Amino acid sequence: MSTTSQTSGFPLAMASEDTAVRIISLQGGASLTKRLTEMGLNVGSEIWVRQRQGAGGLVISRGETRFALGFGMASKILVCPV
């Protein structure tokens, strides 16, 4: 029986502050996937959760670039701990 990314990963929206994670899957539609990959948030990318804001929003960073993501978008990015 093989393990899928959904059983080993969790939504980015659930990640703790000051934690490094790796993107294992993008669960959104084609336009969301395109938008995220254009921002450099591809499957396999390592990102840091810098700050949690309000009702599930996050500030993340990849390299020197920081991004603010809402809860909906962060929920569609599956990650695993680095």
Side-chain angles (χ1 to χ4, degrees):
M1 181 184 232
S2 65
T3 305
T4 64
S5 61
Q6 289 186 354
T7 58
S8 62
F10 56 92
L12 177 59
M14 295 175 62
S16 300
E17 199 169 286
D18 293 323
T19 304
V21 294
R22 182 183 324 268
I23 298 174
I24 58 172
S25 179
L26 302 174
Q27 300 294 306
S31 63
L32 178 62
T33 299
K34 180 180 178 193
R35 183 174 180 191
L36 291 170
T37 55
E38 287 174 348
M39 291 167 39
L41 302 176
N42 325 349
V43 172
S45 297
E46 289 185 20
I47 57 177
W48 272 92
V49 178
R50 297 292 178 184
Q51 199 173 33
R52 299 187 61 83
Q53 298 181 328
L58 301 172
V59 175
I60 62 167
S61 66
R62 179 165 190 257
E64 296 297 316
T65 307
R66 290 181 182 227
F67 302 97
L69 301 178
F71 178 78
M73 189 178 286
S75 296
K76 294 178 179 169
I77 302 171
L78 291 184
V79 297
C80 67
V82 173

